Amino acid sequence: MTDHHTYKKIEIVGSSKISIENAIENALAECAKSVRNLNWFEVVETRGHIVDGKVGHYQVTLKIGFRMSNS
């Protein structure tokens, strides 16, 4: 084990018909399927799709930080 950690950031977009929070949870769940050592996230953008004057679905752009292997 080293005395420091190195991280990498990626950007992903999650969506949900239910809520912004659910869009975040969906994005993190999908990301966790292929990326290990997830440590933090930052919401950088929130938007949505409008259908017939109402929210069709929410979209949330996240920056995901994860620790590099062996770091």
Side-chain angles (χ1 to χ4, degrees):
M1 182 93 174
T2 65
D3 61 351
H4 70 280
H5 298 292
T6 302
Y7 299 89
K8 184 171 184 173
K9 290 193 299 186
I10 57 175
E11 191 170 275
I12 63 173
V13 178
S15 65
S16 170
K17 291 182 177 183
I18 300 168
S19 68
I20 291 168
E21 291 83 4
N22 193 249
I24 293 169
E25 291 170 3
N26 290 343
L28 292 174
E30 278 301 310
C31 191
K33 291 179 183 178
S34 60
V35 179
R36 294 182 314 213
N37 303 321
L38 298 177
N39 284 100
W40 53 266
F41 71 92
E42 172 186 357
V43 176
V44 295
E45 185 175 30
T46 305
R47 63 183 174 276
H49 182 235
I50 301 169
V51 177
D52 297 326
K54 297 181 181 179
V55 176
H57 67 271
Y58 302 90
Q59 297 173 330
V60 180
T61 303
L62 304 173
K63 287 187 181 179
I64 307 287
F66 60 95
R67 188 174 34 81
M68 302 294 293
S69 295
N70 301 320
S71 169

